[in-house]
Every structure is written in C-alpha cells, then in structure tokens.
Amino acid sequence: MNSSRRQFLQSSVVTGALAATASLTPACVHTSKRSSGLIHVGVIGLGRIAESFEVPMVLAHKDKAKIVAVCDFDTIRLDAMKARIDKTYSDTACKAYGDYKALINDPNVDAVMVCTPDFWHALAAIQAALAGKDIWVQKPLAQTILESRTLANIVKDKKLVMQVGAQQRSWWQFHRVCELVRNNRLGKIQRVEIGLAKDKPGGSLSEMPVPATFNYDGWLGPIGNKAKHFYTETRCHPQGKNGKPDYGRPGWITMEPFGWGMITNWGAHHLDIAQWGLGMTESGPIEIEGTCSQLDPTGKTLWNVHGDYDITYTYEGNIKLHLCSKYKNGIKFIGENGWLFVTRSGGPATKSDPSGASAEASKNVLKDPTSPKNGVAFGVDASDPELLNIVYGPDAIKLHCSPDPDKGECYRHVADWLECIKTRQTPVAGPESSHRSNIVCVTGLAAMKLGRKLKWDNKKELFIGDDEANARFNRFIYEQPGYSITEELKKAGIALPS
C-alpha cells in the first residue's frame, strides 16, 4: 500500500487534481491586492517558539505584514497573544480562534504559520496549502517521509510559498561554511561529523485533571486515544498561572508519538545544514545504520524518546555522515584539504532548551571579512584559519542569502519568507530541500528503531526490500476521523488507491 501511495503521489494525477482545485485559491495569496499592501498572517500554535521567534519577528515587519488571526487550544496563551498583538498594532483587529480550521478558512488570512507540536505539522500545513495559503512550518517539516513528500508536492503544484523554520540557513556562519564547502574549499568531502544537544529523562506518569483553560481533546487531534494518552501536564506544556502563560519547554518534544526526540529536533537543524553543504538538497543518503539507547530504560518516567544515538549515513561517492552523541554540538565538514566546524555561537536555542550549543568554536576568534560582526567569525572553527580567506570567482556557487545581513538569524529567516511571498520565489528553506532534510531525519530514526542497516532509494523514495520500514516510517501516521490527511486529499479530489 505504501509503495502504491508513493507512486501515486508522484504521478501526474496529483498535479491534475491540484490544478483542478486552483480556482478555489483566493487571489490575494499570490499577489497582495489589499489596499495596505500588507501580507495578512494567521498563526496556529502559540507556544514557546512562536512566542519568542515567529510572532515577534512578524511584528517587527510592520511594513510588510500584519498578524490578523491567532489560534491555540490553550486559552491562557491565546488571550495573552491577542493582547500582545493588539498592543503592538494599537487596535483590536486580530481574531482569536479556538478552531484552527476556522483560521485557515478565514478569507482575511493570506499566509499561515504552523507553530504547533510536531505531530500536527503535516496535517495543518496540508490543510492550509489546499486552502491556497502560503505557509510557514516549524521544523521538522513532518513526522514521516510520505507526509513531507505530500506537503512538498502540494505546495509546488499550487505554486505556494513555504518556509520551514530551519533558521540556521539564515544564520551567517552556517551559510558561510556551506558556501565554502560547496565551492570546494576543503577539496573532496570525505566525512561529516554531527553532534546534537541531549534530552533529559523526566515526566510524570500520574494522570491529572484537564485544566478548564485547555482543550485537551482538540490538542490530541490527529493522535486521539485519550484513554491511552491521558492528560498530565508534562505530556503537553506547562500551564500558566493567574492568567499568565508559561513558555517552559514542553514534554511532548521528548514523548513519542508526539515527537521523535533530538533526531527530529536539533537533528532537523544540523542534518539540514549537512545536506545544504553537501549539495544534497534534491537527494540524500543511500544507506543508513544506527543504534540508540532509551532516554529512561527503567520506564519509571513518562518521556520515552531515544537517549544516546549513533547513526552512520552513506552518500554517493562513499561520503560518510556520522551523527553521534559523543560529538560536540555542531557540524564538522572534513575534506582532503582540512576541516571546517560550525555551530551556534552561544547558549541553547531558548532559555528552556537543554544545554548543548558548543562553546569551543565560539572561543576561537577567526577573521572573515564577510562576517557582519566586524569581520569576526563567531561559531566557526577550522583546521587552518586561511580556509576562510577566499575570494569567489565569477563561476562560484552562491547559496540563497536571506535579506538584512546585519540583523539576527530569526529576523532574517522571517524576512526571507515575507519577501518571497511578495516575489513568489522559493525561500531558503523551501519545500523540496526541507523534504529531503526530513528524509535524513526519519531514515535515521528508522535505522535506530529497527536496529539494522537500511537501503534507501532517493528516486522512488522507498526503503529498498524492507516492507516494515516503509510501513512504519513512510506512511500517513495519524488517520483519526476529522484529522486525516487522506480525508483532506480526497476532499481536494485526490483519491488515493486502497
């Protein structure tokens, strides 16, 4: 069944079916015809990353966009965010929705930001795409390969603009190192080594009463099964007190099946950079093998994702990518002429994240005239600092560069999305490259879970000779009534085979 679904989705039938729905797309999404000229943005999910990243960065672009609608199942977060947006714009025009589908179908919304827990990404983004909206999706793009392929196809076929929240592509040092690698500064690449942050065990196994301010049934949505997934605060997110939201790190991010752990958390960032540097934005590995430990093998706590990890990916040309918990956090490209290492230059992604950003590279004061920070290459290390000194010739490979280089990476990543909505160009973390990066994450997860070497066909997008791997990791994983990708595709005229 999975094989036939893959082939069907890659066939011209999908393109034709989507073309037939093009008349349903509001004209304003493709080119803003509003008198204000502003892109009207709706935000689904108002958790810690939306609160600290997506929402403030859109608010910082008052000349390009306006947030006109927000949605969350937590009314404390919903009310707080509406109040913040109203204060910023000095009006009360922003609508507050408890039903995300109503926000997607709001004709006043041009573009939708999907800032939900991971298990919601594919469904909500596909629904937004089928409604003709441009899209922002937090990483990871999806939880399975078929989910992200389906979403990428729809976005491309409907000529929508989609940016994935892989903001390291808009971070100066990651862009710089990838461009150096792509222009053969290291010679032939032999190996890539990647380390991620580490999760910590925890989470309560005790059932708790659902707060009156939280629609837990709605939050479970595509997963359902409330009897099995009973409410406990550490499964979801910290509840606010006295009407004030708490944006602490959520439990679902370390809780299967809601999230897959670091492999799709920091892995979605660093593996994406490896793909970018290797020039594999339309391809990927051909063999994957790996092992992992459980975060808490005793079973006495709730969080159940992987702990330590050790995965080896093999690419064409026998390039090895080794993702291992023994490495410091970052990406190291190793070639015949030396190596380059790149990481975030500072602490964790948010205050509530586990520690993991490497300090070693940040201590090195390497000079790079292209750096926007007074020529200092923060977050970069090299076997020889001279590797950073290069003048590109006229035939050099120039990677997509997000606008406003003097600004921070989060600002630039949102700016790139908004600019591409205006120009109808593909942003730096667009649908195809983001889908390919998602394949790397999910195939690594599959190798860890199955404990055997897997062979991957990058053209057919199937595990070769492994029905179990395809059945578990290359399918629509959640098919609850009312929360089903299959249902959404059928409504759009895309009838999947049985």
Side-chain angles (χ1 to χ4, degrees):
M1 179 183 294
N2 289 306
S3 176
S4 62
R5 282 188 176 185
R6 270 297 326 116
Q7 294 164 354
F8 180 82
L9 282 170
Q10 289 183 322
S11 73
S12 60
V13 177
V14 176
T15 304
L18 289 170
T21 65
S23 62
L24 301 177
T25 305
C28 60
V29 282
H30 293 301
T31 174
S32 180
K33 296 182 178 178
R34 302 187 184 283
S35 58
S36 66
L38 298 177
I39 300 161
H40 284 191
V41 177
V43 185
I44 302 173
L46 306 173
R48 64 180 185 132
I49 304 300
E51 185 272 339
S52 63
F53 174 1
E54 283 104 347
V55 167
M57 293 304 102
V58 175
L59 294 178
H61 287 88
K62 290 184 181 180
D63 60 328
K64 296 180 181 178
K66 183 176 184 179
I67 298 175
V68 298
V70 289
C71 177
D72 202 280
F73 294 120
D74 183 329
T75 58
I76 294 178
R77 289 182 167 185
L78 182 62
D79 293 345
M81 189 59 73
K82 175 174 166 51
R84 177 180 178 178
I85 292 167
D86 289 349
K87 182 178 180 180
T88 300
Y89 294 138
S90 299
D91 64 33
T92 60
C94 180
K95 295 180 181 178
Y97 286 106
D99 178 1
Y100 79 99
K101 294 179 183 178
L103 182 149
I104 288 173
N105 292 321
D106 187 336
N108 194 41
V109 172
D110 302 326
V112 173
M113 300 185 99
V114 178
C115 306
T116 63
D118 295 358
F119 65 97
W120 272 99
H121 288 185
L123 175 62
I126 286 171
Q127 289 171 318
L130 291 173
K133 313 292 183 173
D134 292 317
I135 307 163
W136 170 288
V137 190
Q138 285 183 358
K139 59 81 195 160
L141 180 57
Q143 284 193 297
T144 75
I145 295 162
L146 184 59
E147 287 178 348
S148 60
R149 167 48 69 200
T150 303
L151 174 55
N153 279 1
I154 294 171
V155 168
K156 291 187 295 181
D157 288 339
K158 289 180 74 69
K159 296 181 172 56
L160 302 172
V161 172
M162 183 176 78
Q163 178 90 295
V164 175
Q167 72 270 20
Q168 287 182 172
R169 289 199 179 203
S170 295
W171 213 315
W172 172 82
Q173 63 260 39
F174 293 98
H175 180 277
R176 175 62 165 163
V177 166
C178 286
E179 206 165 70
L180 288 168
V181 172
R182 292 284 289 275
N183 283 284
N184 298 314
R185 190 62 171 158
L186 298 178
K188 178 178 170 54
I189 297 298
Q190 301 162 337
R191 183 177 173 86
V192 182
E193 296 175 351
I194 298 178
L196 311 174
K198 293 184 180 181
D199 286 313
K200 297 179 181 179
S204 172
L205 293 169
S206 300
E207 185 171 1
M208 300 171 62
V210 179
T213 54
F214 184 41
N215 177 2
Y216 184 56
D217 290 306
W219 185 87
L220 282 174
I223 287 181
N225 200 345
K226 188 177 180 180
K228 178 180 179 181
H229 304 299
F230 57 83
Y231 176 77
T232 181
E233 185 177 23
T234 53
R235 189 192 305 278
C236 305
H237 59 265
Q239 292 296 307
K241 296 180 180 178
N242 301 319
K244 295 183 178 180
D246 184 333
Y247 294 108
R249 193 169 194 257
W252 62 261
I253 207 167
T254 45
M255 181 72 211
E256 295 183 5
F258 306 93
W260 298 143
M262 277 296 163
I263 185 66
T264 52
N265 187 4
W266 277 77
H269 286 301
H270 286 358
L271 289 168
D272 177 65
I273 293 300
Q275 285 275 111
W276 205 26
L278 291 174
M280 295 289 176
T281 52
E282 293 189 1
S283 187
I286 56 176
E287 286 186 355
I288 313 98
E289 56 184 323
T291 59
C292 67
S293 64
Q294 283 297 111
L295 191 61
D296 181 4
T298 69
K300 294 181 179 180
T301 56
L302 183 66
W303 300 338
N304 62 354
V305 296
H306 68 85
D308 288 333
Y309 49 89
D310 190 329
I311 307 171
T312 298
Y313 300 86
T314 301
Y315 287 77
E316 294 285 356
N318 201 35
I319 298 172
K320 301 291 185 180
L321 189 159
H322 190 206
L323 177 72
C324 185
S325 49
K326 73 179 182 181
Y327 294 133
K328 60 187 178 184
N329 191 330
I331 306 103
K332 187 176 187 178
F333 293 96
I334 304 168
E336 57 188 354
N337 297 336
W339 55 262
L340 288 167
F341 176 83
V342 61
T343 189
R344 298 185 181 189
S345 49
T350 69
K351 293 179 180 180
S352 61
D353 260 333
S355 178
S358 172
E360 286 87 343
S362 298
K363 294 177 181 176
N364 293 310
V365 183
L366 301 182
K367 295 295 183 178
D368 188 323
T370 70
S371 171
K373 298 182 179 180
N374 298 317
V376 178
F378 291 102
V380 178
D381 200 359
S383 56
D384 181 349
E386 285 300 311
L387 289 170
L388 298 179
N389 295 326
I390 181 174
V391 177
Y392 293 125
D395 297 326
I397 296 172
K398 301 294 287 183
L399 299 179
H400 181 119
C401 187
S402 295
D404 303 308
D406 58 325
K407 302 285 188 179
E409 66 283 348
C410 294
Y411 180 98
R412 297 184 67 202
H413 208 54
V414 171
D416 183 57
W417 179 56
L418 296 174
E419 181 64 24
C420 287
I421 289 176
K422 292 283 190 179
T423 64
R424 311 314 300 169
Q425 300 299 307
T426 300
V428 69
E432 186 62 30
S433 65
S434 296
H435 163 64
R436 296 291 180 167
S437 294
N438 191 57
I439 287 176
V440 184
C441 293
V442 177
T443 55
L445 174 71
M448 289 195 300
K449 290 292 185 180
L450 297 174
R452 58 177 176 265
K453 181 183 289 188
L454 301 172
K455 293 183 181 294
W456 178 254
D457 187 321
N458 280 293
K459 292 184 178 180
K460 295 181 179 179
E461 294 189 5
L462 288 169
F463 292 101
I464 300 171
D466 199 318
D467 292 340
E468 182 183 7
N470 284 310
R472 288 180 60 178
F473 301 99
N474 201 5
R475 65 187 178 99
F476 297 144
I477 194 169
Y478 308 121
E479 292 289 278
Q480 296 293 324
Y483 301 97
S484 163
I485 293 174
T486 299
E487 287 181 3
E488 296 302 322
L489 297 178
K490 287 181 178 179
K491 285 192 291 186
I494 306 171
L496 291 175
S498 59

